[in-house]
Amino acid sequence: MEADELLTLVAGGDQKAFEELYGLVSGPVYGLVRRVLRDPAQSEEVAQEVLLELWRSAARFDPRRGSALSWILTLAHRRAVDRVRSARAAGEREQREARRAHHPAFDQVLEEVEAGLERERVRRCLDRLTALQRQSVTLAYYDGYTYREVAERLSLPLGTVKTRMRDGLNRLRDCLGGVA
Amino acid sequence: MSLFGRLLRRGDLHSLAAPYALDALEPAERVRFERHLDDCDRCAAEVRALSEDAVRLAWSTAAPAPAALRDRVLAAVRTTPQDPAPGRAFRLPPHVWGVQPPQARSRAPRPRPLLVPFATATAAAALVVASLFAVQANRTQGELDTARDRAREIAHVLAAPDARATSGRDDRGRGIGAIASASEGKVVVTLSGYGDPAGDRVHQLWLMRPGAQPRSLGLFDGDTPLLASGLDRTATSLAVTVEPDGGSARPTSPPVVQLALESVGFGE
């Protein structure tokens, strides 16, 4: 069954359908959250919140307006970004990064993930962007920085960053093709 | 505000579509932009397209979730009430789901720190999952349906409570990854770096058991994961050989790579 169909059943309280939906989306949700947060324990916590939120809020999903998978990943991304920003604000991040230095196995995992084909495709397409387009898009999406922070980090005017983000996403679409 | 001021502000808001799609707005700006989306159809359409692009960036990061997460989420679902359906149609585009502040953090016990063996296992799992999602691209609807059915079966193995992963590399750095569930008797296997064998030849997967002939588990189609079922616990290892097109009844060449299954619950 498709995620869209499953989510509709979940909205009606179907726990079996939720289990199946979990099988389909837990990997993409967890992987995305971990890409943004990097810390495995914290990623697991946020992924858990997101997956539970799917159960709780399934009735809000409107299949006429887009696919369930985009909807779910957009939610996961937003929750991950919200968390990474509050962690940064609290200065926890430096501490965690120091701690992460003791877990070389995790970097190895990331490398293996990078061997994946879809990842390869996305990376190839990211490589075709200009450096500024690529940095603007990835600092925001994968590292959770606001466009103001991106502008600061890259020493660019705000308007330039907004344009680079838009051009970057458009070029990515041309390169990856329309099939999601 | 003057007309000029309003137009300026509109133009300014409109330029936030891409940062919005990337979740790169500050909370106050996000709220302001979402309000603007309410009466700007052009912006809503643009945001929708840009958000689809952003989601493409998400797909490439898929990684198997820890098994303990599944148990916790499914247990919580049994006792968590659902929100009622919204009374009126949402005017916001589909991906805008976060306009409400996140619910208070659940009181679920803090997850235990992940152990290194898990991380190592994840490496193999990531290989499998990443190629699993890659199959979605550039297919016709019929092919997509078949691919999805298979993806679902594979997802089922990955999500099994006892699913465990292992991986190996040959001396040229090419890899084999496997995720197995002993309780389901199933294993999902991927090859990476082997490409297609020259000529009309294929990579064939074999199950090795002590005192028994190798049993064929199927033929690889490039990097696409191969799902094999009907494994019993005496299985000790997997082997891959290069065989003539269509496969062989028995291996006709030495294995290009082998992988022991003891660490994933087999080999009793």
Side-chain angles (χ1 to χ4, degrees):
Chain A
M1 220 180 289
E2 307 284 332
D4 297 73
E5 235 176 305
L6 288 170
L7 199 51
T8 310
L9 291 175
V10 168
D14 187 334
Q15 294 187 3
K16 274 273 155 240
F18 182 82
E19 265 188 71
E20 203 177 322
L21 183 67
Y22 182 97
L24 280 182
V25 306
S26 60
V29 165
Y30 175 73
L32 177 60
V33 170
R34 201 182 62 183
R35 181 66 182 81
V36 175
L37 287 171
R38 289 157 190 257
D39 176 78
Q42 211 184 20
S43 303
E44 201 173 327
E45 200 179 302
V46 171
Q48 176 171 338
E49 286 169 19
V50 170
L51 291 160
L52 260 185
E53 192 170 346
L54 290 186
W55 164 256
R56 245 190 351 251
S57 312
R60 291 180 198 278
F61 171 64
D62 181 351
R64 288 166 304 179
R65 290 178 173 267
S67 84
L69 289 171
S70 319
W71 199 48
I72 290 166
L73 287 173
T74 304
L75 172 73
H77 187 257
R78 184 162 291 186
R79 294 290 174 259
V81 161
D82 286 346
R83 177 67 73 90
V84 82
R85 286 190 196 149
S86 56
R88 249 179 221 143
E92 288 172 32
R93 191 166 175 82
E94 283 73 13
Q95 293 169 24
R96 238 196 314 287
E97 265 167 320
R99 240 181 295 151
R100 201 168 70 231
H102 300 293
H103 290 287
F106 184 64
D107 289 337
Q108 192 189 329
V109 172
L110 278 182
E111 272 172 34
E112 294 281 357
V113 173
E114 282 176 0
L117 291 179
E118 177 66 4
R119 180 141 200 141
E120 200 44 57
R121 266 158 58 88
V122 169
R123 190 164 48 191
R124 260 208 311 274
C125 289
L126 280 172
D127 279 346
R128 294 197 195 161
L129 309 188
T130 67
L132 286 181
Q133 288 171 345
R134 183 170 53 247
Q135 286 167 325
S136 302
V137 166
T138 57
L139 279 173
Y141 197 76
Y142 287 143
D143 296 307
Y145 289 106
T146 66
Y147 77 97
R148 284 174 205 283
E149 292 168 325
V150 171
E152 239 167 73
R153 291 175 76 93
L154 300 179
S155 306
L156 289 173
L158 286 178
T160 309
V161 167
K162 290 189 277 191
T163 316
R164 295 300 172 269
M165 285 177 169
R166 178 191 310 249
D167 295 346
L169 283 176
N170 282 334
R171 252 166 110 165
L172 204 58
R173 182 190 316 162
D174 292 341
C175 177
L176 287 166
V179 195
Chain B
M1 195 187 286
S2 71
L3 178 62
F4 180 71
R6 270 209 302 276
L7 285 175
L8 194 68
R9 190 170 162 272
R10 278 209 133 205
D12 193 40
L13 272 175
H14 191 73
S15 71
L16 294 179
Y20 177 79
L22 291 165
D23 280 332
L25 296 183
E26 280 147 25
E29 250 173 346
R30 192 190 275 178
V31 170
R32 208 155 59 94
F33 185 75
E34 282 175 352
R35 225 179 282 140
H36 169 66
L37 277 182
D38 250 357
D39 44 39
C40 174
D41 292 343
R42 188 165 66 98
C43 312
E46 184 176 11
V47 159
R48 188 168 165 155
L50 289 168
S51 298
E52 291 290 335
D53 301 334
V55 164
R56 297 298 299 268
L57 291 169
W59 276 110
S60 66
T61 63
L69 178 64
R70 181 180 194 273
D71 299 340
R72 280 201 307 276
V73 169
L74 295 185
V77 156
R78 280 191 282 277
T79 57
T80 306
Q82 292 181 294
D83 297 342
R88 61 184 177 83
F90 274 78
R91 295 185 58 208
L92 295 178
H95 50 277
V96 184
W97 197 5
V99 287
Q100 305 86 0
Q103 303 267 345
R105 298 251 298 275
S106 71
R107 300 244 170 240
R110 256 192 97 75
R112 278 155 302 166
L114 297 182
L115 302 171
V116 171
F118 163 73
T120 313
T122 310
L127 272 179
V128 174
V129 170
S131 44
L132 174 59
F133 288 110
V135 305
Q136 308 262 351
N138 304 324
R139 300 286 176 97
T140 66
Q141 191 57 47
E143 286 172 325
L144 267 180
D145 288 345
T146 315
R148 265 195 204 115
D149 286 346
R150 217 170 40 84
R152 202 165 295 129
E153 279 186 73
I154 291 175
H156 189 69
V157 178
L158 301 191
D162 68 336
R164 283 150 80 184
T166 181
S167 66
R169 294 202 174 274
D170 69 11
D171 45 14
R172 283 195 264 166
R174 301 173 299 186
I176 178 170
I179 298 180
S181 160
S183 66
E184 306 244 344
K186 287 182 182 166
V187 61
V188 181
V189 186
T190 45
L191 292 181
S192 63
Y194 286 93
D196 288 322
D200 280 340
R201 298 169 81 79
V202 289
H203 283 123
Q204 187 164 6
L205 179 68
W206 304 92
L207 178 68
M208 317 299 276
R209 288 164 300 172
Q213 290 283 348
R215 187 183 119 207
S216 174
L217 292 177
L219 305 176
F220 281 100
D221 175 14
D223 287 321
T224 309
L226 183 60
L227 172 68
S229 47
L231 277 67
D232 67 38
R233 288 178 187 268
T234 61
T236 51
S237 66
L238 300 173
V240 178
T241 61
V242 174
E243 300 295 336
D245 196 17
S248 307
R250 297 274 175 270
T252 61
S253 62
V256 291
V257 67
Q258 282 184 281
L259 185 66
L261 292 175
E262 275 86 359
S263 67
V264 292
F266 290 89
E268 279 179 4

